Amino acid sequence: MSSPLLGPVTAPGGRRPRVPGPRTPREMSAALDGFRDSVAAGMSHLHRTYGPVAAVGAGPLRWTFLFGAEANELVLGSTENFEFSYGGLQAIAGDTALVALPNAENRAMRQVLRPLFDREHVDTYADRVLDRVRDRLAAWPRGGTVDAYAELRHAVRLASVDSFIGPGVIAREGDALDATLEQLHTVLNRSSVLTLLLWNAPRLGRLRLRGPLGRVDRVVRAEIARRRAGRTTTPEPADPIGFLLRPEVHSALPAGDDTVRDTVVSLLIASYDPTSSALGWSLHGLLAHPEVLAKARREVARELGDEPVRASTARRLKYLGHVVAEALRVHPPVVASARRCVRAFDLHGHRIPAGSRIMLSQFTSHRSPESWADPERFDPERWDRTGAAATAVPPSAYFPYGSPRRRCPGSGMAAVIVPAVLAAVLQAGDVALADDRPPRLDGFAALRPKAGIPVRVPRRRGAGRDTSAHTENT
């Protein structure tokens, strides 16, 4: 008997080979050290040490890690056998949120929510982010150093609350809600083995998060009550609460107001955490490569001139889009994708039992020399599809926001927001990296720089700007 992928499923003598993985105390210690550093480092260690299939843990806390384009294609291409499994996010978002719904129910709910992701809604959200970003940029100390990642993350978080809970919520709740949301994500993103194991146990996750989660619940449910009582006017275009409270929409929800709450919280999670991750890594990729930075500046000057960037004009910035795509290849916001297999399957000579928890790795896939030429090189030009040598990138090799069928709902927003925010930073002045060392990795739900992205702010606006930017076409 042969596996559909690479080799026999039985060893000599008719026995199946045991799935590789750390077993001795020394091997377990090395694996744990990797995951303590970051989930990305832990997965890279497993891949290097044990090959394309590796298992860690035991019983209900066991994970089977699958590496490589073949495994990605098998798992991502079969929604019938591989169910979405994100217990850690479910602990926050709730049982009727998109991240928690089985595949069929997820597809149905995405159809219900589809109007919230049209161009008008995306541009409205992106412009709110840009307004918040400009407020932060204006406050950066001239001649000082700031953590650009934390600053941009804060701006995205505030704009997400404005867009997904309500435009008056920040004014009423103040810094307390802002701090609570960051606390939730800090716990969710801890790069620890405990987080990895608890990813299978949403009830334990809720117990661990009950304090901050209760405060978020109170705010969201209070806003639902305000809308019903007419004390808060739904903006145009309608935000999620206003849209979901429409009688014809609300009647189709699986759990009424509980689904409204779960949807709002899941959109909040799906928007600001992956988006701020993408912003941080894209800004670092831009500033760490002078030739990339110079070309991006020329494009912004050529396409926008002195016009402040907006969502509608950011779509002109094709090269900045390539910069973002390359940054997400090297540092994907969603570092791993979790699934549960319904039926047993064979891969690389190993039988994976029914019910197994599966983890795919965007981080290792995006850096695989089997799929990418010179994968360690930061090269936005690889995304220019106009050249004769351009080839399409298969979904099994590049899925920074998850699989096409279960992609993060915030990915379409991020595709507009991230280039737009990069352009806003470039228009604000000539910031430079304050530390040339590669950032250390951190985060589980979203990959992030452990110590942020410290940048130096020029003493005067536009100091040192490339004066050829307004005249050279590239």
Side-chain angles (χ1 to χ4, degrees):
M1 180 179 177
S2 294
S3 166
L5 291 174
L6 300 180
V9 296
T10 54
R15 292 177 294 101
R16 295 183 186 277
R18 191 177 182 185
V19 175
R23 295 188 179 90
T24 68
R26 177 174 293 182
E27 290 171 344
M28 285 299 300
S29 177
L32 292 175
D33 285 346
F35 280 103
R36 286 192 191 99
D37 184 39
S38 72
V39 172
M43 291 188 298
S44 297
H45 168 80
L46 292 178
H47 188 208
R48 287 192 310 269
T49 307
Y50 302 103
V53 181
V56 177
L61 300 181
R62 179 182 173 90
W63 282 101
T64 300
F65 291 83
L66 307 180
F67 303 103
E70 294 92 348
N72 297 340
E73 186 174 357
L74 174 69
V75 174
L76 300 180
S78 177
T79 57
E80 295 77 16
N81 194 41
F82 297 96
E83 295 180 341
F84 205 68
S85 177
Y86 268 97
L89 292 178
Q90 184 181 346
I92 294 178
D95 294 334
T96 66
L98 281 174
V99 296
L101 293 175
N103 290 325
E105 289 89 338
N106 179 275
R107 288 192 293 271
M109 192 62 185
R110 283 176 183 258
Q111 283 298 112
V112 172
L113 299 177
R114 195 170 184 176
L116 291 174
F117 299 98
D118 63 18
R119 183 163 178 157
E120 183 181 16
H121 282 85
V122 169
D123 284 6
T124 299
Y125 175 47
D127 285 339
R128 284 186 180 134
V129 172
L130 283 169
D131 290 341
R132 292 288 188 176
V133 164
R134 289 193 179 95
D135 289 344
R136 305 303 300 178
L137 292 173
W140 285 9
R142 296 294 164 186
T145 299
V146 298
D147 179 356
Y149 170 72
E151 289 284 299
L152 297 178
R153 181 178 175 83
H154 186 226
V156 173
R157 188 164 62 247
L158 295 180
S160 297
V161 172
D162 291 340
S163 298
F164 300 125
I165 304 182
V169 171
I170 291 293
R172 289 195 300 272
E173 298 294 330
D175 294 338
L177 177 60
D178 185 48
T180 296
L181 289 171
E182 188 63 5
Q183 182 184 359
L184 278 175
H185 280 274
T186 297
V187 174
L188 192 62
N189 273 305
R190 282 177 181 157
S191 295
S192 68
V193 178
L194 177 61
T195 300
L196 180 66
L197 297 179
L198 288 180
W199 209 247
N200 282 338
R203 290 182 181 177
L204 289 177
R206 287 191 187 117
L207 182 63
R208 189 180 180 198
L209 297 165
R210 61 184 175 182
L213 197 55
R215 291 191 288 274
V216 173
D217 283 350
R218 177 186 60 77
V219 171
V220 173
R221 292 187 185 277
E223 183 64 16
I224 293 172
R226 290 178 68 88
R227 300 293 180 95
R228 280 223 169 88
R231 297 201 306 270
T232 299
T233 302
T234 293
E236 289 294 336
D239 60 7
I241 291 179
F243 174 76
L244 292 170
L245 289 182
R246 291 174 179 173
E248 69 277 14
V249 177
H250 194 270
S251 62
L253 301 181
D257 282 2
D258 286 343
T259 300
V260 177
R261 176 267 174 210
D262 292 353
T263 301
V264 169
V265 174
S266 64
L267 289 175
L268 200 59
I269 294 168
S271 59
Y272 98 77
D273 208 21
T275 299
S276 58
S277 169
L279 275 172
W281 293 118
S282 297
L283 182 63
H284 183 270
L286 191 66
L287 299 180
H289 300 88
E291 71 288 354
V292 173
L293 177 60
K295 188 168 183 177
R297 284 197 181 282
R298 291 193 292 269
E299 179 183 62
V300 170
R302 183 179 68 248
E303 296 296 333
L304 303 181
D306 293 327
E307 173 190 3
V309 64
R310 304 303 290 175
S312 58
T313 58
R315 291 182 173 87
R316 304 177 202 161
L317 305 173
K318 305 301 183 187
Y319 183 70
L320 269 182
H322 299 337
V323 172
V324 174
E326 182 68 350
L328 302 193
R329 182 188 68 81
V330 179
H331 294 105
V334 180
V335 72
S337 289
R339 298 291 189 273
R340 187 186 73 85
C341 67
V342 178
R343 300 180 303 277
F345 67 99
D346 303 317
L347 181 65
H348 297 294
H350 300 288
R351 168 57 59 94
I352 311 301
S356 294
R357 301 286 181 176
I358 306 298
M359 192 76 79
L360 303 179
S361 172
Q362 284 95 317
F363 187 81
T364 58
S365 296
H366 289 192
R367 294 168 178 240
S368 171
E370 297 176 3
S371 300
W372 305 94
D374 199 2
E376 297 301 320
R377 183 164 61 96
F378 188 85
D379 181 18
E381 304 291 347
R382 74 172 83 235
W383 298 96
D384 184 355
R385 301 300 172 208
T386 61
T391 57
V393 177
S396 59
Y398 183 76
F399 49 114
Y401 290 108
S403 70
R405 299 182 186 182
R406 295 284 305 233
R407 182 177 286 118
C408 171
S411 60
M413 299 176 185
V416 178
I417 291 168
V418 180
V421 170
L422 292 182
V425 173
L426 294 180
Q427 289 182 323
D430 296 319
V431 299
L433 290 177
D435 188 343
D436 292 333
R437 292 173 297 180
R440 291 186 61 193
L441 306 179
D442 194 18
F444 188 101
L447 188 67
R448 58 185 180 177
K450 198 178 192 75
I453 305 291
V455 300
R456 292 190 300 273
V457 183
R459 292 191 176 278
R460 59 186 178 88
R461 188 180 180 88
R465 181 170 295 175
D466 182 359
T467 56
S468 67
H470 292 276
T471 58
E472 182 177 345
N473 289 326
T474 302

